[in-house]
Amino acid sequence: MEATEELEIVIAGGGICGLATALALHRKGIRSVILERSDSLRATGAGIAILTNGWRALDELGVASRLRLTSLPVQRVWDIDLDRGKQQQAPVSIGEARCVKRRELIKALSEDLPFGTIRFGCEILSVKLDRFTSFPTLQLSNGSSIRAKVLIGCDGANSVVADFLELKQKKSFSSCSVRGFTNYPNGHGFAHEFVRIRRGNILSGRVPVDDKLVFWFIVPRFYPTDSKVSEDPELIRQFSVEAIKEFPSERIEMVSNCDLASLSLTHLRYRAPWDILLGSFRRGCVTVAGDAMHVMGPFLGQGGSAAIEDAIVLARCLTQKMQKVAQEENGRQIMVQEIGEALDKYVEERRMRLVWLSTQTYVIGSMFDASSMLGKLLLLAILAVLFSNSTHHTRYDCGRL
Ligand SMILES: Cc1cc2nc3c(=O)[nH]c(=O)nc-3n(C[C@H](O)[C@H](O)[C@H](O)COP(=O)(O)OP(=O)(O)OC[C@H]3O[C@@H](n4cnc5c(N)ncnc54)[C@H](O)[C@@H]3O)c2cc1C
């Protein structure tokens, strides 16, 4: 039997959240190890919109200026309703909004990490608390095990760490989303605007990343019945073109001429707002962050930014306590207690922010799903009452690292 390796802080998953958490801790002088099941860093989803709150958080991590160099600021948002023949500019200021290539974001978050921080090919199968030490022990698929002082689950929507915390199962909207890039070698000629077009229950959005590259997505209110579609880029393209066949030709051409390698199709999932309000996000020295904690529909473009905010708050709370533990040099029990308090503070600080984000995305997603006009109107009224300023979420400031 292999001996159990002992590590201080283990982060499960090397996506946006895991990398941001490791970087935030590194900036505070704390070492961590990321266990990533893939053999390399992944960047599924082509582009990612980052709004003012996300840029604040990236500034704290010291990577925002690098990313600003390769992404254009969005100046306006347009909403076009083809059924009602209406076109309107979003009435509120969007602050700083840019679409970044996911690959660039992952690169920026990972390149300042010390060598050896990320361990690839390390799939965590299960987590349990050691009976004697109360520290988490991780069982990996390669047969080895690791004992950590702190475990942060950034392992996405199907999180093993969330299962360990016994969080309620996430739910699914009926919609899916296809995302991709289209490259225009001679320049796309579009204004630096985010343009959303809606027809029936299908939404199509496009936003330029730079002068030649456009990020686009479509959200049809259904999921392809053939499971092979999501694995085959050519089938995803055919599915997408079919879904928007009644949209303007500019959109159809954009999707037809896309970069096949950039395509992804995702069924939209969420953790219910009430499960975020009531969920127990800490057990011993284990917690979750990012999609593992609060997977949400993409309707506000906030899941990734919220994950980066989690990283900042978590690193801030942990650092304060870890420094205290180091000074006191007390026993293991004190350490478990201090780390537990740090994680509780993190959860407390994040909870209501996430409840509001998940509520807004849940109501918008439910509007997409609703088949009756009455249901849609009711949800619209809820949105108008609770979120009269629809971009208020971008003003959030997660504070200094
Ligand atoms: C259609 C769509 C559009 C979106 N658009 C936006 C947007 O515009 N702006 C925005 O801010 N957000 C957006 N989001 C949300 C954003 O993509 C996610 O919130 C973000 O990627 C979550 O990052 P994460 O690191 O928490 O999870 P993930 O990106 O899922 O990363 C989890 C990582 O953990 C690894 N892992 C999983 N299980 C294990 C295991 N057992 N052991 C080891 N490793 C494991 C995985 O391989 C992966 O690398 C969108 C989401 C969707 C679906």
Side-chain angles (χ1 to χ4, degrees), residues 12-18 35-38 42 47-50 102 122-125 154-158 160 177 179 266 268 289-292 296 298 301-307:
I16 293 173
C17 188
L35 302 179
E36 167 56 48
R37 70 175 167 196
S38 306
R42 303 176 325 144
I48 182 164
I50 302 194
R102 281 193 185 242
C122 292
E123 182 178 17
I124 302 165
L125 294 182
C154 302
D155 46 345
N158 296 318
V160 172
S177 178
R179 292 167 284 171
T266 319
L268 301 184
D291 275 12
M296 62 183 82
Q302 281 287 14
S305 290

Side-chain angles (χ1 to χ4, degrees), residues 20 39 96 109 115 219 281 289-290 292 311 357:
D39 294 329
E96 180 175 9
L109 292 172
F115 180 75
V219 183
F281 292 115
L357 282 178

